[in-house]
Amino acid sequence: MNELNEGQIAEWIDVEVDVGTEEDVSFTEYDISASPNDFNIKTLFDFIDSGIVKIPGFQRNYVWDIKRASKLIESLIIGIPVPQIFLFEEAKNKFIVIDGQQRYMTIYFFKKKRFPRKEKRLELREIFDVEKGIPEEILNNNEYFTDFNLQLPTAQSNQVNKFNKLNYYTLDENDQTSLDLRTIRNIIIKQNSPDDGHSIVFEIFNRLNSGGINLKPQEIRTSLFHSSFYDMLYKINLYGSWRSLTPTTIPNLHMKDVEILLRGFAMLMDGSEYKPSMTKFLNKFSYEAKSFPPENITYLENLFKTFVDSLPQGDEKLFHSKTGRFNISVYESIFVAACKDAFQSKNLETKSISTDQVERLKNDQGFIEATQSDTASEKNVKYRIDKAIEVLN
């Protein structure tokens, strides 16, 4: 089937989500250090331009309009304090912005003298991720950017804001120097223990992010653990045979469909080690997936396509529960049952599954209960997958 345009995005309104033990009931203690550093604007720009600081939050786009961005620049020029920025130290001279993406990108755009067009920001996000920045030819392309001339209101009709309509290069020398030397406090956070190198990032991002948008776990996960494996997830999420089995033909705005695919692979590969919470399980798998070899990722892509292409044709509600809604637990159980032997043998011979087999599975009382209550518990996850393997064999 034809794949869909990546620009097509939509909300889902009819997907059953996990209930019961999705959030971990345990508490993990962390040993972290947080050191304040006052970096000037020139240094912050150089951090981004050189790749020392990564902007994973760009996954959800730059959302400020030019008037709000202009107010930040004006505040910096005249010396009004602005909120601090939080960075996570991944390694020596390698940082991730946890909170402050919009401020960082506004500084970057103003120094570049270019402002992103609203209708092009999704596409720019993808360019930014691939190129690890925005190439000069894109910055200078008026289809993507317009000139970043400050748009600042005046307090009274007979007054003129002296910075209005100026850009970085038309500021007078004193104001430009004032801007370059103005500092913003950056709090650099480093995880000392546990020694997994990453688990605190998700928690801090979730708690500190103040961009005005309530991000879903998969949106945060996508930003923090982006990898070639994730690129593959985005690709197969557009695969026609898969989209015909989902609630809409276009991807979910909050990446719920990507999370469904992620869960299927995580359960297939690491399901025997699953322990709640589901969020931590998927975070750990996503972190480990950053080191998957290219040939393994290609194999997983082909395995998934073989799986969906072999499913009964015309049954668009194959992964729906008895409530009539797409159910994540039903999908992952069937996916694991159909692909487990092939995965273990590293071939593409997935099990052939009939509609009758799937209906028997979905009518099993124990399976119904395990997909409707306490769905992320270790007991119910194991029961669902074991029952699917039993019924679908």
Side-chain angles (χ1 to χ4, degrees), residues 49-320:
D49 216 29
S50 65
I52 290 174
V53 168
K54 293 193 300 183
I55 315 279
F58 205 87
Q59 290 285 352
R60 75 172 201 282
N61 303 333
Y62 180 74
V63 297
W64 280 11
D65 61 28
I66 197 166
K67 291 182 179 179
R68 185 172 181 181
S70 296
K71 292 296 288 184
L72 174 71
I73 300 301
E74 181 190 37
S75 296
L76 291 168
I77 295 171
I78 65 180
I80 295 177
V82 301
Q84 61 193 6
I85 291 170
F86 286 83
L87 305 177
F88 177 77
E89 185 175 351
E90 282 191 305
K92 186 176 181 180
N93 295 328
K94 189 176 181 182
F95 304 92
I96 292 176
V97 176
I98 300 174
D99 184 59
Q101 172 214 343
Q102 304 296 313
R103 278 159 279 157
Y104 246 111
M105 293 309 297
T106 296
I107 292 166
Y108 178 80
F109 290 138
F110 188 67
K111 292 269 287 182
K112 288 289 190 180
K113 206 187 73 171
R114 303 290 278 168
F115 195 79
R117 294 185 181 277
K118 186 175 182 180
E119 68 274 13
K120 288 292 186 178
R121 292 182 185 182
L122 179 63
E123 190 175 345
L124 285 170
R125 177 198 77 184
E126 296 164 358
I127 293 172
F128 191 92
D129 290 336
V130 171
E131 302 291 340
K132 311 304 179 189
I134 299 175
E136 287 296 322
E137 62 267 25
I138 299 295
L139 272 169
N140 295 324
N141 188 330
N142 289 331
E143 290 186 9
Y144 291 93
F145 286 88
T146 185
D147 288 338
F148 194 162
N149 298 316
L150 296 174
Q151 292 187 16
L152 296 164
T154 55
Q156 299 179 13
S157 58
N158 62 341
Q159 293 180 335
V160 176
N161 188 314
K162 76 170 191 173
F163 302 120
N164 190 42
K165 297 184 179 180
L166 297 182
N167 59 52
Y168 178 74
Y169 293 99
T170 56
L171 288 172
D172 70 38
E173 186 176 349
N174 288 334
D175 290 330
Q176 193 179 96
T177 300
S178 295
L179 175 64
D180 282 341
L181 298 182
R182 194 73 64 198
T183 60
I184 298 179
R185 174 146 294 188
N186 285 241
I187 307 298
I188 297 179
I189 297 170
K190 182 177 181 180
Q191 179 175 326
N192 302 317
S193 69
D195 190 24
D196 58 16
H198 75 281
S199 60
I200 191 63
V201 186
F202 186 93
E203 189 62 35
I204 294 174
F205 194 104
N206 194 31
R207 292 179 184 229
L208 290 183
N209 188 270
S210 60
I213 301 173
N214 293 323
L215 299 180
K216 303 298 183 184
Q218 186 57 35
E219 293 177 279
I220 300 174
R221 194 176 292 123
T222 292
S223 295
L224 296 179
F225 304 123
H226 183 263
S227 63
S228 296
F229 173 75
Y230 261 71
D231 287 337
M232 184 272 289
L233 292 182
Y234 306 147
K235 181 179 178 181
I236 63 174
N237 191 41
L238 299 171
Y239 192 57
S241 299
W242 163 245
R243 295 251 53 101
S244 67
L245 296 165
T246 62
T248 67
T249 57
I250 51 181
N252 173 245
L253 179 63
H254 299 294
M255 303 184 181
K256 191 62 183 177
D257 39 13
V258 174
E259 182 173 2
I260 293 169
L261 296 171
L262 173 68
R263 273 183 55 166
F265 284 119
M267 286 297 173
L268 175 66
M269 300 173 71
D270 291 343
S272 60
E273 302 173 9
Y274 173 77
K275 293 186 183 303
S277 72
M278 185 65 72
T279 296
K280 286 189 175 181
F281 175 70
L282 295 180
N283 290 349
K284 180 175 182 291
F285 181 80
S286 295
Y287 177 75
E288 293 170 349
K290 293 174 73 173
S291 61
F292 285 179
E295 60 271 19
N296 289 16
I297 296 171
T298 300
Y299 168 74
L300 293 173
E301 176 183 346
N302 291 332
L303 182 67
F304 172 81
K305 289 180 176 179
T306 301
F307 164 70
V308 292
D309 286 341
S310 68
L311 292 172
Q313 297 295 309
D315 190 352
E316 297 179 353
K317 297 184 177 181
L318 193 70
F319 301 128
H320 289 214

